[in-house]
Amino acid sequence: MYRNSLAQLPAPGNLKVHLYNAQQALSWEPVSLDSDPRPVVYQVQYKYSTSSNWYDVNKEDSKVDCTNLTRTECDFTANSLSEGFPRRFNISLRVRAKLGGLVSAWATAPWFEHYRNATIGPPENIRVTPEEGSLIIRLSAPFDVPATEAYFVYCVYYWEKAGAKQARACSSFNFITLNDLKPLRVYCFQVKAELFLTKENISRPGHLSNISCCETAADASVKLQQDFLAAGTTFLVLSVVVGSCLFLVLRYRGLVKPWFHSPPRVPPQIEEYLKDPAQPILDALDKDSSPKDDTWDSVSVVTFPENEQEGSPQSTLNQSAGPSHQPTEGVLCAKEAATCLSGLDGAT
C-alpha cells in the first residue's frame, strides 16, 4: 500500500494482468493518504497497439465499468465471444488513483495479446468409457474460441498402472480412443489442451489435468472364460450343498424320518371311550363296527329219480311244477354258486 503524508497522491503500483483461459483482469496495490480518510477511487483505461488514443473501460465499450472503482481490480472477462477485448489484438492498460481533487499519475501495464499470453488450463468435463481392450476419452475445450482465429489439439498421456512405460495419443476432436490395450487392466492418464492460432504458426501449450485411472472392459474370449468360470463355480457350490444335505439325511435319518410322517391318531372308538369312561369298552369297540349284511343269491337245485330221468327227461322237466314231483332237496348257497353245486353232487 502506497501512503504519502504530504498532499500528493501516488500512482498505483505492482500492476498485474491475469490471463487464464477466457479470464481477463487487471489488479494493483491500493493507494491512501494519511491526512485524508476518504476512500480512494481508481480509473482504468485501455488502448490498442494500432491506436494512440486511450479509452475508458466502461459499459458502453467493454460491458464493464472501471471508471470509478473502490476495489483494486478491474475484471473485464467477456461473457461471450462478442464481448470484451479482442483476443488477437495487442492491448495496453493503465490505471490512476483519485481522491477528491487529487489525481495521481498513470501507471501502465505491459502490452499483452490474449492468445499469446494467456495460461491454458486443462480440458474440462473429462469422461471415460471403457471398451473391449480400449478406452474412449471425451472432453471439452478449456474455453470457447472462434474457429476462424484458433483451435485446440488434445493430447492424452497414458500408461498401465502396474507399469511405467508412457504412451501418447493426440486428436483435434473432442474425443480420443486409446486402442490396443490389455483387457481387464487399469490404465492411468492425463490430458492436455494446446492452443493453435489459425493464421499464424504459433501455439500455446496448456496444463495437464489431474491423473485419472480406469479399467478396460473384457474382450469376447475373457467374457467366455468368465462365463465358464461362473457356471463351474455355481455347479460346484450346488454339488457341495446337495451332497452335504444328502449326507446329513443318511447320517441322521433316524432323527429326520419322523418329520415326514403324520402323528398317530386315536381311533374314534377309543376317543369316545375316553370322553365317556362309564361306557363299557367292548360296547364302545363294537359300536358302528358291526359288519354289514352280505348280499346273498338264492339258488334252487332240483333232483329226480333215475328211472324217470332216463325215460323221459323232457317231459319230466315240463311237469316239474306238479305235486308228485317236488324237489327232493333245496339248498341255499352263499356268494359262490359253484361251491354249493359241488356240495350237492356229493350228497346225491
Side-chain angles (χ1 to χ4, degrees):
M1 178 181 293
Y2 290 92
R3 294 179 179 272
N4 198 323
S5 58
L6 302 177
Q8 183 179 358
L9 194 63
N14 197 19
L15 275 65
K16 294 181 180 179
V17 178
H18 303 275
L19 303 173
Y20 182 82
N21 288 342
Q23 181 183 5
Q24 297 175 342
L26 174 67
S27 65
W28 56 88
E29 291 184 355
V31 175
S32 64
L33 284 179
D34 294 336
S35 59
D36 195 333
R38 291 177 299 175
V40 177
V41 295
Y42 303 95
Q43 178 185 5
V44 179
Q45 290 184 339
Y46 72 95
K47 78 170 183 174
Y48 297 112
S49 61
T50 57
S51 174
S52 59
N53 298 325
W54 290 90
Y55 304 94
D56 286 335
V57 179
N58 52 37
K59 290 186 177 180
E60 183 179 354
D61 296 333
S62 57
K63 309 298 181 182
V64 179
D65 188 5
C66 293
T67 55
N68 290 288
L69 292 174
T70 56
R71 62 182 184 275
T72 58
E73 182 186 57
C74 176
D75 188 350
F76 41 87
T77 301
N79 295 323
S80 65
L81 295 176
S82 61
E83 298 178 359
F85 298 124
R87 296 172 182 172
R88 65 184 183 277
F89 288 179
N90 282 325
I91 300 173
S92 181
L93 297 171
R94 67 180 185 179
V95 60
R96 68 178 179 180
K98 295 186 295 184
L99 179 61
L102 300 177
V103 179
S104 73
W106 289 101
T108 305
W111 291 89
F112 71 91
E113 181 183 340
H114 190 92
Y115 286 141
R116 293 174 181 267
N117 302 109
T119 300
I120 309 301
E124 298 182 352
N125 304 319
I126 300 175
R127 304 175 303 279
V128 185
T129 303
E131 297 288 344
E132 295 182 4
S134 64
L135 294 175
I136 300 177
I137 301 176
R138 294 179 172 84
L139 43 81
S140 58
F143 59 97
D144 295 332
V145 295
T148 57
E149 296 179 0
Y151 62 92
F152 285 103
V153 173
Y154 309 99
C155 292
V156 179
Y157 301 87
Y158 62 98
W159 62 94
E160 189 176 349
K161 189 174 183 180
K165 185 179 180 180
Q166 191 177 82
R168 175 186 174 184
C170 297
S171 174
S172 59
F173 298 100
N174 289 344
F175 66 91
I176 302 175
T177 302
L178 307 181
N179 295 313
D180 301 326
L181 304 181
K182 298 177 183 179
L184 297 178
R185 298 293 181 89
V186 177
Y187 286 85
C188 298
F189 63 90
Q190 288 180 289
V191 188
K192 181 179 70 174
E194 189 170 355
L195 180 67
F196 287 84
L197 300 183
T198 304
K199 298 180 180 180
E200 301 179 48
N201 189 20
I202 297 176
S203 63
R204 187 71 177 168
H207 289 183
L208 286 169
S209 65
N210 295 329
I211 297 177
S212 301
C213 297
C214 183
E215 184 180 20
T216 56
D219 56 13
S221 60
V222 176
K223 288 182 179 179
L224 185 61
Q225 294 176 3
Q226 289 179 340
D227 294 340
F228 276 116
L229 181 61
T233 304
T234 304
F235 176 77
L236 181 61
V237 171
L238 291 178
S239 300
V240 172
V241 172
V242 173
S244 302
C245 294
L246 183 60
F247 171 77
L248 293 176
V249 170
L250 295 178
R251 180 70 175 81
Y252 302 101
R253 61 180 179 274
L255 299 176
V256 177
K257 185 177 180 181
W259 297 351
F260 299 95
H261 293 276
S262 58
R265 297 180 60 186
V266 179
Q269 296 87 347
I270 302 299
E271 187 176 358
E272 290 185 7
Y273 173 74
L274 294 176
K275 293 180 179 180
D276 187 9
Q279 182 180 1
I281 183 61
L282 294 179
D283 295 343
L285 292 175
D286 292 338
K287 187 177 182 180
D288 297 332
S289 63
S290 59
K292 297 181 180 179
D293 294 337
D294 295 333
T295 302
W296 294 76
D297 294 331
S298 176
V299 178
S300 299
V301 179
V302 181
T303 60
F304 299 92
E306 294 181 359
N307 55 354
E308 293 182 3
Q309 183 177 1
E310 294 177 356
S312 55
Q314 184 68 29
S315 60
T316 304
L317 293 173
N318 294 334
Q319 298 175 2
S320 60
S324 61
H325 302 286
Q326 296 293 329
T328 59
E329 185 176 356
V331 182
L332 295 177
C333 293
K335 294 186 180 179
E336 297 183 2
T339 306
C340 180
L341 289 176
S342 62
L344 292 178
D345 290 341
T348 55

